[in-house]
Amino acid sequence: MDATKPIGYWLKHLHDLLERQFDATLADLDVGRRHWQVLNTLSHGPASREEVIRALAPFREAGAVEPAEILDGPGNSLAARGWTTAAGRHIDLTPEGRAAHARIADRVARTRRTVLGGLTPEQYTATVHTLSVMAANVEADLASGGRPA
């Protein structure tokens, strides 16, 4: 490990590696990380389209598959697979969707164990806390105009 690189390098590098790891973990199922995120969001109970889109908003990237396409677009959408059903304004998982969520959750748990290997729960908590404080510092500075004093 090269600890001389700045935090921005490690954040971007880890993000890119996580995307690749999820792609590799889920490739044979013809789903991606965003499919997983939608399934996981719906595993907590029915949600409106707006709630699903809001839950995925922090993960939007240029060129990424849109939540609407994941939900009910052509091809491998969750609706086309029979994994979701819509009742009124809410989308829910079907029994097949719950089974798919469980299968994928096992793989995601394995990936998380890989990512967190060698870290104690306390180290993970401290890392997340540190990153959240840094993010809050930047958000506060941007909200105040972000100009040097």
Side-chain angles (χ1 to χ4, degrees):
M1 182 175 99
D2 184 355
T4 63
K5 295 192 186 299
I7 192 165
Y9 168 86
W10 289 112
L11 291 172
K12 177 70 172 134
H13 184 60
L14 179 58
H15 171 79
D16 293 345
L17 287 171
L18 289 173
E19 290 293 330
R20 288 177 42 205
Q21 182 70 29
F22 268 89
D23 286 347
T25 298
L26 305 174
D28 64 312
L29 301 174
D30 196 27
V31 297
R33 188 175 186 187
R34 302 305 168 251
H35 289 81
W36 159 250
Q37 290 169 326
V38 172
L39 278 172
N40 200 47
T41 297
L42 293 173
S43 75
H44 301 290
S48 70
R49 177 178 296 278
E50 294 77 21
E51 289 168 327
V52 171
I53 290 169
R54 196 169 34 254
L56 268 65
F59 304 100
R60 283 191 77 174
E61 293 179 342
V65 179
E66 293 293 325
E69 189 175 339
I70 292 167
L71 285 168
D72 52 20
N76 71 347
S77 71
L78 303 182
R81 293 168 184 259
W83 291 356
T84 59
T85 185
R89 291 191 35 185
H90 288 89
I91 302 163
D92 199 4
L93 293 178
T94 63
E96 295 83 4
R98 293 205 176 281
H101 175 265
R103 284 191 311 275
I104 294 168
D106 286 341
R107 292 184 183 203
V108 169
R110 228 176 313 128
T111 294
R112 286 184 178 143
R113 285 191 300 274
T114 298
V115 171
L116 300 177
L119 293 175
T120 66
E122 295 79 16
Q123 288 171 316
Y124 174 77
T125 299
T127 299
V128 171
H129 175 75
T130 299
L131 292 173
S132 71
V133 169
M134 293 170 80
N137 291 342
V138 174
E139 288 170 345
D141 188 60
L142 289 171
S144 70
R147 293 182 185 84

